[in-house]
Amino acid sequence: QVQLVESGGGLVQTGGSLRLSCAASGRTFSSYAMGWFRQAPGKEREFVAAISGSGVSTYYVNSVKGRFTISRDNAKNTVYLQMNSLKPEDTAVYYCTRGSYFSINKATNNDYWGQGTQVTVSS
């Protein structure tokens, strides 16, 4: 059984920054890709970013490229999402997930999810 717990969300002004964290249980953390999704009320859950088990490879949805950075610290069983130049369109609940690197961008492929953390960007 794997548990994922997100933290770091909050209220920020347009142009501001937040750093989300996702703490994972399990001794095989580094064997899995990790990712971030987000979901606004009434909207589909949207892929945001993914990182390989080693942390060497990443990819992002086009709307956050150049603004968001995903990283991981396998010694701490933690994955991060650094969000800069935030926009009101980034407002959503952000979810951490575990999966396979090349398919983690489709939500139904992933086996574990966190409870989510709210990010609100004011205009």
Side-chain angles (χ1 to χ4, degrees), residues 6 13-14 16 18 21 23 26 31 47 49 53 58 60-61 63 78 81 83 98 109-110 117 120:
E6 302 96 334
Q13 295 179 14
T14 297
L18 285 172
S21 297
S31 298
F47 169 77
T58 61
Y60 303 85
V61 67
S63 61
T78 302
L81 187 68
M83 305 185 295
R98 188 187 86 167
N109 289 336
N110 304 331
T117 186
T120 303

Side-chain angles (χ1 to χ4, degrees), residues 94-112:
Y94 282 71
Y95 296 92
C96 178
T97 189
R98 188 187 86 167
S100 298
Y101 184 65
F102 292 107
S103 62
I104 197 169
N105 62 328
K106 185 177 180 181
T108 54
N109 289 336
N110 304 331
D111 51 1
Y112 292 97

Side-chain angles (χ1 to χ4, degrees), residues 77-94:
N77 278 21
T78 302
V79 62
Y80 305 96
L81 187 68
Q82 179 66 47
M83 305 185 295
N84 299 325
S85 302
L86 282 162
K87 305 174 180 180
E89 309 93 88
D90 297 318
T91 296
V93 177
Y94 282 71

Side-chain angles (χ1 to χ4, degrees), residues 29-99:
F29 178 72
S30 64
S31 298
Y32 296 93
M34 299 292 292
W36 291 93
F37 280 69
R38 62 189 182 187
Q39 188 167 27
K43 306 276 277 183
E44 297 290 309
R45 189 166 294 195
E46 176 191 29
F47 169 77
V48 177
I51 187 165
S52 62
S54 69
V56 170
S57 301
T58 61
Y59 62 94
Y60 303 85
V61 67
N62 286 339
S63 61
V64 309
K65 286 180 180 177
R67 301 190 298 121
F68 291 12
T69 303
I70 188 171
S71 62
R72 67 194 295 162
D73 185 341
N74 287 343
K76 296 181 178 179
N77 278 21
T78 302
V79 62
Y80 305 96
L81 187 68
Q82 179 66 47
M83 305 185 295
N84 299 325
S85 302
L86 282 162
K87 305 174 180 180
E89 309 93 88
D90 297 318
T91 296
V93 177
Y94 282 71
Y95 296 92
C96 178
T97 189
R98 188 187 86 167

